[in-house]
Amino acid sequence: MSSVFSWLAVRGLSSHAVLDQLDLIDTGVTHTAGSSQLAGKELPGAWYVVVDYDVDAAGYVSKTPLLERLSQHGDVIACYDSSYGPDSAAAEWRKGQRIWCVEHYCASGETPDHLEYDGDLPVTFSKILASSQAKYADFGFCLYPVAVDLAAEITGFRENREVGLNELAWAN
């Protein structure tokens, strides 16, 4: 099943502070597939995640002013996952600065292993990249999962495995 969504996880701010920064409220209603555009949940490791199921290309990863602002008060991981493309991206922000970014975009005519990355990448990046290269070697090195796997490794969040998200709504 194909899907498109974007999420960000913040560590160092309470869930209430994250929601206030995003002008959102937690409705207290359990999110089910298709029930709301936005959903959120506290995660182990002091992360709070917000998922957006109605996103433009690159989703939260492309929201530089938002990520700069949120990261002034905590660590932020943003992730975009479009299995239609397949496109994916992930980035980490701290103290208003992007630390690293990993992007995979399969535009028409490009090779399926089009992966770009820069910044101070986590140590685990090379292991995840090597694993993807080995796993997909027979399929032309499709490296779409690298960004998503890296974000999941850091935060412990993977949207397709998560239950217990609450519906979020705009405060205004």
Side-chain angles (χ1 to χ4, degrees), residues 8 10 13 17-18 21-22 65-76 96:
L8 61 83
V10 181
L13 286 173
V18 172
Q21 288 279 325
L22 297 173
L66 170 69
L67 298 172
E68 286 175 348
R69 187 177 76 239
L70 274 175
S71 70
Q72 291 295 334
H73 309 288
D75 297 333
V76 178

Side-chain angles (χ1 to χ4, degrees), residues 76-172:
V76 178
I77 300 290
C79 185
Y80 171 72
D81 187 343
S82 171
S83 60
Y84 291 120
D87 297 335
S88 63
E92 180 175 9
W93 287 75
R94 268 186 254 137
K95 297 181 182 173
Q97 300 293 316
R98 189 177 80 181
I99 306 303
W100 56 262
C101 186
V102 176
E103 299 174 306
H104 180 273
Y105 293 108
C106 262
S108 178
E110 292 181 16
T111 59
D113 67 344
H114 186 71
L115 185 74
E116 294 181 10
Y117 46 91
D118 67 13
D120 188 12
L121 292 157
V123 173
T124 190
F125 172 75
S126 49
K127 180 182 118 190
I128 290 170
L129 178 59
S131 175
S132 249
Q133 288 171 328
K135 183 175 181 180
Y136 296 103
D138 294 337
F139 303 103
F141 288 119
C142 182
L143 301 178
Y144 155 78
V146 173
V148 175
D149 289 348
L150 183 58
E153 177 76 21
I154 294 167
T155 64
F157 179 76
R158 189 176 294 277
E159 192 281 337
N160 64 349
R161 297 183 191 157
E162 201 60 44
V163 295
L165 293 166
N166 279 352
E167 292 182 5
L168 303 176
W170 299 108
N172 297 318

